[in-house]
């Protein structure tokens, strides 16, 4: 960033003051909360997150420094639940991402499915499997349930990516066919009862924690082990001298 584009010291100071104000408002909202999902607390949280992010960016741009804390953005959290207390209907929204890492394995599996089909029973799309990846995907996802593909993805030449599952509540079930053209457009985040995410990002964090733990173990154990080995060597020498 050029010097002309850098924020002024006054702008950084103003951003710091905004964080202080947002902290006070957040604490006041928490102290006055009316329940676990108080919208005032949620709003104050988002304001604090935005103020902290703004201050962090300006501080870095001006002084090449960062803050020692991180507040997750509002896009990383669900809004408070506002759905019915006793839902009469549920919708389960699932997204699973895959990478096609072994196209030949995918094609071979689709051809096996085609091979067991009885003559005259071939459905639309099956005849394209022998030569195209997208045709093979149509065959496999038409033959197997998504959960089975998830559990056997390696057999089909797929590699798992991120996945998410949302359970949303409603008062009444949807009319047959009304959402099939755009199944996720009507999803309301405030109706989400629970959510489960799987991502390699979480695995990376866990790996980092394990590496840190192993480093701590090595730092603690290796010096003691070295001392113990030295003592054993001294003991062996003393025994040998005694034998002589």
């Amino acid at each position: 960033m050029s010097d002309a584009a850098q924020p002024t010291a006054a702008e950084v100071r103003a951003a710091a003051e905004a964080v202080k104000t947002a902290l006070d408002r957040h604490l006041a909202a928490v102290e006055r909360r009316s329940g676990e999902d108080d919208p005032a607390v949620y709003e104050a949280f988002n304001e604090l997150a935005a103020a902290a992010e703004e201050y962090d960016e300006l501080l870095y741009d001006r002084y090449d420094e960062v803050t020692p804390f991180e507040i997750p953005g509002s896009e990383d959290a669900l809004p408070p639940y506002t759905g019915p207390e006793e839902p009469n209907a549920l919708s389960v929204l699932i997204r699973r991402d895959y990478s096609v890492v072994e196209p030949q394995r995918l094609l071979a599996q689709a051809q096996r499915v085609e091979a067991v089909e009885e003559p005259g029973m071939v459905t639309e799309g099956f005849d394209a499997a022998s030569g195209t990846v997208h045709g093979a995907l149509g065959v496999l996802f038409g033959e197997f349930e998504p959960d089975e593909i998830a559990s056997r993805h390696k057999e089909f030449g797929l590699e798992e990516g991120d996945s998410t599952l949302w359970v949303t509540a409603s008062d009444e079930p949807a009319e047959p066919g009304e959402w099939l053209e755009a199944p996720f457009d009507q999803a309301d985040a405030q109706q989400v009862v629970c959510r489960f995410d799987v991502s390699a990002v979480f695995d990376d964090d866990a790996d980092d924690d394990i590496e840190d733990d192993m480093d701590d173990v090595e730092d603690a154990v290796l010096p003691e082990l070295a001392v113990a080995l030295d003592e054993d060597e001294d003991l062996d020498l003393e025994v040998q001298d005694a034998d002589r």
Side-chain angles (χ1 to χ4, degrees):
M1 177 180 292
S2 65
D3 292 339
Q6 287 184 350
T8 65
E11 289 174 329
V12 179
R13 173 61 62 180
E17 294 299 327
V19 173
K20 298 175 186 178
T21 300
L23 276 169
D24 290 337
R25 289 176 178 172
H26 182 261
L27 178 57
V30 170
E31 291 172 338
R32 297 192 305 267
R33 70 166 49 187
S34 58
E36 184 177 351
D37 297 325
D38 191 330
V41 175
Y42 176 73
E43 182 179 358
F45 173 88
N46 287 338
E47 291 177 356
L48 176 58
E53 183 178 2
E54 176 71 11
Y55 171 62
D56 190 83
E57 291 180 357
L58 294 178
L59 185 71
Y60 182 80
D61 291 342
R62 176 68 185 184
Y63 299 110
D64 199 24
E65 278 291 344
V66 295
T67 56
F69 54 85
E70 180 180 355
I71 299 178
S74 59
E75 67 274 6
D76 298 329
L78 289 172
Y81 176 73
T82 61
E85 290 296 326
E86 298 181 2
N88 295 319
L90 296 175
S91 295
V92 180
L93 310 180
I94 301 175
R95 171 172 172 169
R96 296 189 180 110
D97 284 3
Y98 298 95
S99 298
V100 180
V101 292
E102 296 183 79
Q104 293 305 317
R105 182 183 292 273
L106 177 71
L107 293 170
Q109 290 284 9
Q111 289 165 359
R112 291 191 184 97
V113 171
E114 286 185 313
V116 300
E117 291 293 319
E118 296 181 9
M121 296 295 291
V122 177
T123 59
E124 182 180 355
F126 272 54
D127 55 350
S130 59
T132 65
V133 170
H134 75 270
L137 289 170
V139 170
L140 294 177
F141 279 89
E143 177 71 14
F144 301 104
E145 292 291 333
D147 287 343
E148 184 172 2
I149 291 180
S151 64
R152 299 174 54 188
H153 62 277
K154 292 183 179 180
E155 297 178 34
F156 302 136
L158 304 175
E159 182 177 282
E160 286 184 315
D162 289 357
S163 67
T164 187
L165 182 150
W166 292 24
V167 179
T168 65
S170 58
D171 289 314
E172 299 294 336
E175 293 294 330
E178 72 174 359
W179 52 261
L180 294 180
E181 293 299 322
F184 301 107
D185 286 357
Q186 297 181 5
D188 184 351
Q190 291 186 313
Q191 302 284 93
V192 175
V193 177
C194 55
R195 170 180 173 176
F196 304 96
D197 297 322
V198 177
S199 175
V201 172
F202 307 142
D203 296 337
D204 292 342
D205 292 341
D207 291 341
D208 292 341
D209 293 339
I210 292 174
E211 290 178 1
D212 292 340
D213 292 342
M214 290 302 298
D215 290 340
D216 293 340
V217 170
E218 291 177 357
D219 292 341
V221 173
L222 290 182
E224 296 181 2
L225 181 60
V227 170
L229 291 174
D230 289 341
E231 291 176 351
D232 288 343
E233 291 177 357
D234 293 341
L235 180 60
D236 290 341
L237 289 175
E238 291 175 1
V239 171
Q240 292 175 3
D241 291 341
D243 292 341
R244 292 175 185 170

